[in-house]
Structure formats: structure tokens, C-alpha cells
Amino acid sequence: MHPENQKHDFEPKIIAFVCTWCTYAGADLAGTSRMQYPANVRVLKFPCTGRIDPVFILKAFQQGADGVLVSGCHPGDCHYIAGNYHARRRFAAFRKLLEFIGVDLGRLAFSWVSAAEGGKWVEVVTDLTEKVRAMGPMVEFKALALEEQWSGAIDTPELQEAYDAI
Amino acid sequence: MSRIGVFICHCGENISRTVDVERVAQEVGRLPGVAFSTDYKYMCSDPGQTLVKKAIQEQKLSHVVVAACSPRMHEKTFRKAVEAAGLNPFLCEMANIREHCSWVHENREEATVKAIDIVGMMVERVKKNRILPTITVPVTKRALVIGGGIAGIQAALDIADCGHEVILVEREPSIGGHMAQLSETFPTLDCSQCIMTPKMVDVANHPKIKLYTYSEIELVEGYIGNFQVTIKKKARSVDEDKCTGCGVCMTKCPQKKIPNKFDQNIGMRTAIYVPFPQAVPNTPVIDRDNCTWFKTGKCGVCQKVCGPGAIDFEQQDTLIVEAVGAIVVSTGFDLYTIAEKPKGSPIKGYGEFGHGKIPDVIDGMTFERLASASGPTGGKILRPSDGKEPKQIVFIQCVGSRAREKGISYCSKVCCMYTAKHTMLYHHKVHDGQAYVFFMDARTPGKSYDEFWRRSIEEEEAVYIRGMVSRLYQKGDKIVVMGSDISVGVQVEIEADMVVLATAIQPQKGADALAQKLGISYDKYHFYSEAHAKLRPVECATAGIYLAGACQGPKDIPETVSQASAAAAKVMALFSRNQMEREPIVARVREAGCVGCFACKKVCAYGAVEEKEIRDRQGNLIKVVAYVNPGVCAGCGTCQATCPSKSVELDGYTDEQIIAMIEAL
């Protein structure tokens, strides 16, 4: 049986941020070559990995993503000369921050997938999906997002104080 | 409030087979802001596009999402259709539910859910799309051709004949490439030199072609229509303007035993040399590694004998900047040298064939030089070891090619044909000799190709053995070839005088480094990638750069020439306009928020960020902010992700749009 047809208890939500020139084209190639991979991934296209703001990754986790993938051109092959180098530096630092606030780095993957590497795209997506599936749902950020929302309840002394002062 | 129209394509059955398109249309139709949603069998067809245009007008749509194939395929098509219906083309987005969904998933339920998500994401994105004005840029009507083999020569001549200036850059001292090395060409057996050298002379004499030989590309900047290319012209040590090409220097040079690369190192040349007598330009080069003057500071014979005083030992490498509007890449191929296992490469060598150890085991190109009338043996087939005529000769095909376990899985395409040619050339020159060919299959698609191959067996008495060779070894002055004949199931042993290996075609060394300079993509073997395998086979994904010849994949001469002319036609189409439109995906600075830290300027690889002074009415300087020059900006968006105050935005990829997409999930 094809792995895709197996029933799982948990279907993780994976969001992929990819550059248009290498990884998006690589994912297209996986399609034209009719390769198969788990349907959990949702792809967002950027001109370059250099455009990807770490905020997007946080936002994705907040919106309920269980795993995030960032993928672009191989070092040296950037369509925009050096965008992927800037991205690499930025995410090297960002990973440390994420680790510091307690996000399991297994949920976040960075990879280089060129326009000719349809097979690698399939591999990367499948690996991350299965890894995150084994880790279970990402609950920490969802809880945070819920907390941020105004529920209407006045459940802390600070709030009560502020309410009374009106 | 937006009135979004969503158009779901079946793509025949390509999408509808795994995605329930009606359900997608229904579900998406319920999303806020969606005014119209429908599905159709072929949205990109004329009736499909008419459906989109009609809906825009009748339903008064404000934005359009087309859910179909990859935007790399049809984004332009639909943006054009939307524009024809009166909407700004950048208010149309494509949701990729084919390459990223229906083709890669089998489960109908999962694929449908994913498709709904993808379309929903694009609906949220398109709501935040802004009207973008098209940017027009001037077109520099000069072309650069990189590589002066038959592909580059053909492309350069075609473009120049159309009246446009061409800059042709060649790494070697002469143009001509591999075709100039060949003896005779299949399937007509006309002499390669006879058809090649007149074209080379045409290039040299063409008033519109500027030729830089012994030169390499150093740096490529800019974009379609407006490239700036820095060319490194290596020191020739000979003044090209003064040299008359008389060749006295070469006859007097005392260094006479340097292996000539043009002759596959079986012929010798001097330290000051032209690679072959018909070279264009006919100006020698001093090989500084082997020249006595450069090694010891003594000699200088060439300088003494040179009448016009063209020898210049002091010459330096020079950098030249040329402005061009289009680039044709035609860097060609190299043969897989099985003798030396490439460092760090996944390709495993063929130790069992003794190439490089046994002198009479040669590759196909060396055989070409032996058979060539202008070659080191004057066209006689002689063994490199002792100069004797080989009476038994074995050809082995697919050495390197189609050998996944050795690291190359592709077919080199030309070897079946040139081996058939080699057996004929051999038979014509050694009447009492016998040629054997070990082959897997004979691949002869092409006009008159199969007839040619059959002729080598039926009329020229070549013996074809289906099977592979397992081992070669030297025994006295013979080479014992051990292989199997799988059609009769027996082991074969042949005592040969010479063995010719049809080694695989690979891209030129340094093909990856050049690709990185040009910003074009390449596959794992370093062959350059075309924008679309079928519909855009000569264009790179990078606008304004075109491909010709074997740098894209193994090709024979007719195919190479066709592709070169096709690339030239693409260049000429670009040059038919004075101005061209470019995508308005450029960064813009929100001056109110900019604090002038210029972090954006530091990360911009194109130097598009400038400093702009903001003054009040009295002319007092208020602050200095960043300004993005839209003509130079390439639209990567690195500045936006870097900006600490979020004051620069990339049109088409604004934070608003991206966050909307993430929130839709």
C-alpha cells in the first residue's frame, strides 16, 4: 500500500516557504515527474529566500503549523546573487532564538533544493512530515495565540484594576 | 469589498482525476469576498480565457484567482487575459493545484482538501494585491555569446547578420571548439574543417562581430535588456594589432615538445603557438608555463625574429566592460576523462579499461585527431605507442554514459553515430583491418542516421557485438579485450591492437561557476537548465539568457546548429523593440518610516538602494532616507526582510500579502 493511503491519527500541518527560482521549480519538477509525497504541505512562494522574514515562521506556528520548511537555491546558485546567503545567516541566528524560547528545532527544517532536484524536494517534504507526525501536534504556540485573543473575561487582578479605573 | 472571481481548471483530466474540482469551486465560492467561482475543462484554451474575460465584465470582478497549473507555466497567459478584460494584470494570481497537488497525490480526499487550502490561500493573497504599473526599460541591442564552438559561431552569425552587434567570447586562443577537432562528420562524411573553417572566417570578417578569444567572463551584472559584462582578456603576450600571423615565431621557438591539447596531447606544439593552422584569429599565444623566457628570463627568440615587433612579454590581463541586452550561453561539452577520477565527484572511474595506463586505449576524440587530415599523423590511423597501423581495432560504446552505478545515467546521444563513423573511417584507411564494436543498443534517431549505421555493418564490415567489456589488459604489444556477447550468450576475447572508448559527454569544467555568475540554474551533472523542457527549450528561466548546444545536454551538430539559430531568433525578437516591459516586482521605500540606517543598502546585491535627502520648503535637511532605483532593483526582497523598521516593501510580495496567506491556513 502506498504510504499516502495509510490512515494516521495525526495529520500535521506543514508550511513551506520556498524561493521561486529553485525550490518552487523543483517542486514543479516533482509534479511533472509524477512523484508522490504526503499532502500535508502548503507552499508559499517568494522571489528569494532572502525575502523570508523570520516573523513569517513565527506567524505560521501561531496559525497552527506543526512544522515549517524553508528552502531555496543552493549556496552560490542564488538567482539574486546572494539572497540565500543573507537568509542562511538570518536563520542561523533565528534558530538559536527559537530554541531559546523552547521550540523544538525538529519542527523547523532548512534545505537547499535546486530546480533540477524534484526527488530531493519529495525527500525533504516526506522526511519533515514524518518527523513532525512522530512529534505530535505543536500546542505551545496555539495556546499562546489563544491567550493573545481577547476573551472578554476579566480574570487577572491587573485587568480588574484597569477595568475599575474606567 | 472585493469581488473575486475564482476559476478552477480541470486541465483535461490532469487535475480533475485526483481533485474534485466542483467541490473546490463550491467551497471556495463561500469564502468572503468571492463573488464568482466556476470550473472548466481547459482554462488556458481560448474558450477558457474568454470565460475569464466575460466573467470579469459581467460579474464586475475586482480580482481573479486561476487555480490550474504552476504560475511558471501560465501566469503570463492569464495576466494577459485579465488585462484584456480591463483589469490590472497584477490583480490576477494563480493557485498551483496541478504540479503541487493533483500530480503528486493519489488520495482524492486529501488532494481536494489541499486544493481548497491552496485556492483559499491565494484568495486571501489576491485581496491584498495592489494595482502595479508596468515598468518599461530600454533594450541595449547588442548580444553577448559565450563560447565560440559551432553553437556560438552560428548564434553570433545569425544575430550579426540581422544587423545587431555581437560580442563573442572564447576561452581558448581560437574559436572553433570541438567541431574543429573532428575529422569527418556523420551522416554525410563531409570533412569537418571544410564546413567549419569558412564559418570561422565569416566570424573574423564580420563587421558586426567583436571577437574576444583567450578571454573569460569575469562578472555579469544587470538584467534582461541591460546587462553589464566584465570580460577578462588574458595576456596573449602577442600584440594582436601588430601580428600579421606569419608564423615565423613558431618555427623558431626552441620549445617544441609541448603536448597540444587540440590534438588530444598526441601531437606536439611550441611554446608560442596557435592551436591549429586554421585558427581564428591567426594570432599566436605564448604559453607562459612552458616558455623559456617566462621560466628563466632568457631566450626571447620569438621577439628577435618577429618582423612587426608584436611580441610583448610585459602584456597584462585586461578587464573590459561591455553593455549587452541579451546573452547566449554556448559553452559546449568536454569528454569524460576516465583516466582521472574527478575529485569530489560522484562519478566513479573505469579502472578496468586501462585508459591513461595503456597508451593504445584512446578516446573517441583522439581517434578523430588520428583520422583527421590535419591531425598529428596526417590522417593515418597509427597507434600512439609505436606508430604501427592497428589491424584489429575494438570500439567500446557507452563508456560512462547510461551507467547509473558509475554515476552518469544519461545517454550521450552522439556516440552510436560517431562510432559507426569511426568504423567507416578505419575501413577506408586500413583496408585489411577489422573493426569490432561492443554496444548496448544502437541509438540512431535522425535523418539518414539509421541508414548510416547499417552501412557500417553491411558495407564497411564492422562487427557489432551486443554486450559490455569487463576487462582490458596489455599482453605483449596487444590489448586483450574480454567481454560478453549477450545475443548468443558467449564470452568473447579479442586481441586488439588499439581500443577506442566512446566516453561520455559532460559539460565543460567550470560550467557551474559560470552559471553562478550568470544566475542560471543547472542540473546535477552541471548541464544548464532550460525554462521549459518542451515549450521553452532555448531560454533560461533567467530572462534575457538563452542556451545553445551541448552545454544544455548532449547534442550532435545539426541539433546544435538548430538550437543556436533558435536562440538567435529569440535574441532578435527581443531586439525588435526599443523598450521592453518588465515585471514591476520592485522594492519601494516608505519614507515616513525610514530612519536611514541603510541596512537595506548593505544587503542589496545590485546596488539598487541609494541615499535620498528629504528637505523642507526652506531647503533644510530633515533626514536622509533610502531610495530604491526601480530600474536596477531585481526584486529579491532581501531588503524588506532586513529592514528593522519595516519601511521597505517589495511590490507583489508585501508583508500584508504573505501574512494573509499564512492566516488563511
Side-chain angles (χ1 to χ4, degrees):
Chain A
M1 194 160 83
H2 195 272
E4 220 188 298
N5 296 333
Q6 285 169 15
K7 281 276 164 275
H8 298 282
D9 296 337
F10 166 54
E11 287 299 339
K13 199 188 232 187
I14 309 287
I15 298 188
F17 298 116
V18 305
C19 83
T20 187
W21 298 98
C22 289
T23 306
Y24 195 87
D28 275 1
L29 180 65
T32 42
S33 321
R34 308 296 198 277
M35 295 168 177
Q36 300 287 313
Y37 56 86
N40 305 58
V41 68
R42 305 288 180 267
V43 176
L44 270 76
K45 181 167 76 96
F46 292 81
C48 179
T49 42
R51 168 67 188 93
I52 301 168
D53 196 317
V55 166
F56 300 152
I57 298 175
L58 289 177
K59 188 77 195 167
F61 280 131
Q62 245 180 14
Q63 285 302 121
D66 301 298
V68 173
L69 170 67
V70 178
S71 181
C73 306
H74 285 267
D77 295 354
C78 181
H79 179 81
Y80 297 105
I81 305 171
N84 58 355
Y85 286 125
H86 291 295
R88 185 166 69 173
R89 271 179 81 99
R90 195 183 296 147
F91 293 125
F94 180 66
R95 274 173 71 88
K96 292 262 171 211
L97 270 170
L98 268 187
E99 195 178 17
F100 177 74
I101 61 168
V103 174
D104 191 330
L105 291 184
R107 297 188 180 275
L108 182 61
F110 297 97
S111 70
W112 316 114
V113 174
S114 83
E117 292 176 331
K120 189 176 174 194
W121 168 252
V122 171
E123 212 174 280
V124 165
V125 169
T126 313
D127 281 0
L128 182 66
T129 310
E130 294 314 321
K131 199 158 91 183
V132 172
R133 194 197 301 285
M135 290 166 81
M138 165 96 172
V139 287
E140 297 88 343
F141 265 61
K142 278 179 205 160
L144 259 181
L146 280 178
E147 257 178 50
E148 270 183 15
Q149 278 172 10
W150 170 243
S151 62
I154 299 164
D155 49 4
T156 65
E158 290 88 356
L159 265 177
Q160 187 62 53
E161 197 181 310
Y163 185 75
D164 292 341
I166 297 171
Chain B
M1 189 64 191
S2 24
R3 289 182 60 79
I4 302 168
V6 183
F7 301 86
I8 321 273
C9 179
H10 297 209
C11 193
E13 274 193 344
N14 279 307
I15 294 171
S16 56
R17 194 180 294 130
T18 34
V19 171
D20 184 347
V21 280
E22 284 94 14
R23 193 177 135 203
V24 176
Q26 259 174 29
E27 299 241 349
V28 173
R30 287 194 210 111
L31 293 174
V34 176
F36 181 74
S37 115
T38 188
D39 58 279
Y40 184 69
K41 208 158 191 70
Y42 292 104
M43 209 56 90
C44 57
S45 67
D46 191 41
Q49 291 190 39
T50 312
L51 177 84
V52 177
K53 290 182 210 165
K54 254 176 90 179
I56 292 173
Q57 279 152 0
E58 285 173 5
Q59 304 284 332
K60 300 195 170 41
L61 298 178
S62 61
H63 303 81
V64 169
V65 172
V66 181
C69 49
S70 169
R72 289 159 41 87
M73 181 88 197
H74 275 316
E75 191 175 67
K76 276 206 180 112
T77 315
F78 288 111
R79 286 193 166 163
K80 235 188 239 165
V82 164
E83 195 176 17
L87 269 187
N88 182 276
F90 295 94
L91 299 177
C92 167
E93 288 287 349
M94 284 195 76
N96 185 349
I97 58 167
R98 192 179 76 173
E99 280 86 344
H100 286 193
C101 189
S102 71
W103 275 353
V104 288
H105 308 308
E106 282 171 346
N107 186 312
R108 194 170 169 84
E109 174 60 24
E110 281 180 3
T112 306
V113 169
K114 183 173 178 180
I116 294 168
D117 272 5
I118 295 175
V119 182
M121 204 159 75
M122 295 320 282
V123 165
E124 291 308 319
R125 180 191 212 280
V126 84
K127 279 184 198 168
K128 310 285 182 192
N129 275 21
R130 290 190 217 131
I131 291 175
L132 299 179
T134 331
I135 299 176
T136 53
V137 288
V139 174
T140 311
K141 295 186 183 182
R142 299 173 90 212
L144 168 74
V145 177
I146 307 172
I150 182 62
I153 288 175
Q154 185 66 42
L157 284 174
D158 284 351
I159 300 167
D161 283 345
C162 210
H164 302 297
E165 253 184 81
V166 179
I167 290 140
L168 178 58
V169 177
E170 167 60 48
R171 179 158 71 175
E172 299 296 327
S174 167
I175 57 169
H178 282 119
M179 190 176 159
Q181 286 180 281
L182 305 181
S183 52
E184 287 166 17
T185 53
F186 62 79
T188 47
L189 290 188
D190 39 9
C191 132
S192 185
Q193 290 274 344
C194 317
I195 51 178
M196 184 64 175
T197 44
K199 276 190 178 289
M200 289 161 60
V201 175
D202 284 351
V203 168
N205 294 339
H206 206 296
K208 291 280 183 188
I209 299 179
K210 204 170 182 184
L211 182 59
Y212 291 113
T213 52
Y214 209 47
S215 303
E216 285 182 48
I217 302 298
E218 194 72 9
L219 182 68
V220 180
E221 293 168 298
Y223 53 93
I224 179 167
N226 301 275
F227 292 105
Q228 277 84 43
V229 184
T230 310
I231 300 160
K232 183 168 93 179
K233 202 169 181 320
K234 291 179 276 185
R236 219 180 175 100
S237 314
V238 175
D239 189 326
E240 282 167 301
D241 296 330
K242 288 186 190 158
C243 175
T244 58
C246 70
V248 175
C249 52
M250 289 184 271
T251 57
K252 301 287 181 196
C253 178
Q255 292 284 354
K256 293 191 194 302
K257 292 273 176 217
I258 305 161
N260 191 359
K261 193 174 139 199
F262 184 82
D263 283 332
Q264 297 293 103
N265 300 333
I266 47 174
M268 297 298 161
R269 62 163 170 85
T270 45
I272 182 165
Y273 74 105
V274 289
F276 53 104
Q278 301 78 14
V280 168
N282 189 20
T283 311
V285 171
I286 295 182
D287 166 10
R288 292 190 173 185
D289 294 335
N290 287 303
C291 169
T292 321
W293 175 271
F294 284 99
K295 284 198 323 205
T296 65
K298 289 178 197 127
C299 183
V301 169
C302 48
Q303 197 172 36
K304 281 169 212 144
V305 298
C306 181
I311 309 291
D312 178 5
F313 293 128
E314 307 299 316
Q315 214 177 53
Q316 298 289 320
D317 293 354
T318 46
L319 293 178
I320 301 151
V321 179
E322 294 279 6
V324 294
I327 300 175
V328 178
V329 188
S330 51
T331 48
F333 69 94
D334 220 343
L335 281 183
Y336 171 28
T337 4
I338 59 170
E340 40 180 276
K341 195 174 144 193
K343 231 185 185 174
S345 158
I347 293 163
K348 298 175 185 127
Y350 275 84
E352 61 268 41
F353 287 172
H355 188 214
K357 287 189 205 110
I358 307 171
D360 296 329
V361 176
I362 60 173
D363 62 14
M365 189 56 90
T366 313
F367 187 86
E368 294 285 346
R369 292 314 297 150
L370 288 177
S372 170
S374 62
T377 55
K380 290 198 183 81
I381 312 274
L382 301 174
R383 309 201 318 172
S385 62
D386 53 11
K388 279 191 200 150
E389 202 174 55
K391 298 294 178 193
Q392 297 242 54
I393 186 162
V394 170
F395 295 90
I396 305 173
Q397 289 194 220
C398 294
V399 178
S401 317
R402 304 174 65 201
R404 246 180 306 178
E405 67 287 357
K406 294 281 191 183
I408 295 180
S409 54
Y410 58 85
C411 165
S412 290
K413 208 171 186 179
V414 296
C415 328
C416 288
M417 286 303 291
Y418 81 59
T419 302
K421 176 190 76 180
H422 284 173
T423 64
M424 289 187 194
L425 296 179
Y426 176 72
H427 192 240
H428 295 171
K429 293 186 185 224
V430 185
H431 298 293
D432 54 345
Q434 179 60 53
Y436 300 91
V437 182
F438 282 91
F439 76 122
M440 295 210 259
D441 326 92
R443 300 188 160 180
T444 56
K447 197 173 170 181
S448 310
Y449 280 16
D450 203 59
E451 294 91 320
F452 183 83
W453 176 66
R454 298 246 41 118
R455 201 170 100 208
S456 81
I457 302 170
E458 287 160 7
E459 292 170 32
E460 313 271 0
E461 294 164 20
V463 174
Y464 270 71
I465 303 164
R466 194 184 290 270
M468 210 36 188
V469 171
S470 58
R471 196 177 155 223
L472 291 178
Y473 63 92
Q474 185 101 48
K475 186 179 160 195
D477 70 339
K478 299 274 184 192
I479 304 158
V480 182
V481 181
M482 299 169 75
S484 53
D485 184 340
I486 59 164
S487 49
V488 281
V490 294
Q491 296 299 307
V492 190
E493 210 176 287
I494 298 169
E495 290 204 352
D497 298 308
M498 190 154 107
V499 175
V500 183
L501 308 176
T503 48
I505 278 185
Q506 287 189 302
Q508 279 284 351
K509 280 193 192 80
D512 49 340
L514 180 65
Q516 290 172 1
K517 284 176 195 164
L518 291 162
I520 60 176
S521 47
Y522 50 89
D523 67 13
K524 67 171 171 179
Y525 304 110
H526 300 173
F527 285 118
Y528 299 145
S529 309
E530 62 286 340
H532 189 280
K534 280 157 275 179
L535 300 179
R536 294 171 68 197
V538 304
E539 298 161 81
C540 284
T542 306
I545 303 183
Y546 307 91
L547 298 172
C551 61
Q552 184 211 8
K555 272 186 201 72
D556 59 21
I557 296 166
E559 266 188 295
T560 298
V561 172
S562 318
Q563 199 189 11
S565 289
K570 288 279 169 197
V571 172
M572 291 180 294
L574 174 66
F575 288 178
S576 64
R577 288 170 292 176
N578 293 325
Q579 291 215 314
M580 59 164 299
E581 289 178 354
R582 59 157 293 192
E583 277 213 325
I585 308 297
V586 290
R588 236 182 326 172
V589 177
R590 195 164 48 84
E591 287 171 1
C594 178
V595 295
C597 71
F598 295 107
C600 49
K601 195 176 176 180
K602 290 191 194 99
V603 297
C604 181
Y606 298 90
V609 181
E610 296 163 11
E611 292 181 19
K612 181 181 169 188
E613 292 178 346
I614 305 266
R615 289 176 186 276
D616 65 9
R617 287 182 201 180
Q618 280 76 43
N620 301 317
L621 182 68
I622 296 172
K623 65 173 180 176
V624 182
V625 295
Y627 167 75
V628 178
N629 182 339
V632 183
C633 176
C636 67
T638 304
C639 52
Q640 184 174 4
T642 307
C643 179
S645 63
K646 299 281 161 249
S647 302
V648 56
E649 271 200 329
L650 181 66
D651 283 338
Y653 291 92
T654 61
D655 281 351
E656 238 191 334
Q657 287 170 309
I658 310 292
I659 298 286
M661 283 170 86
I662 300 173
E663 284 184 341
L665 289 172

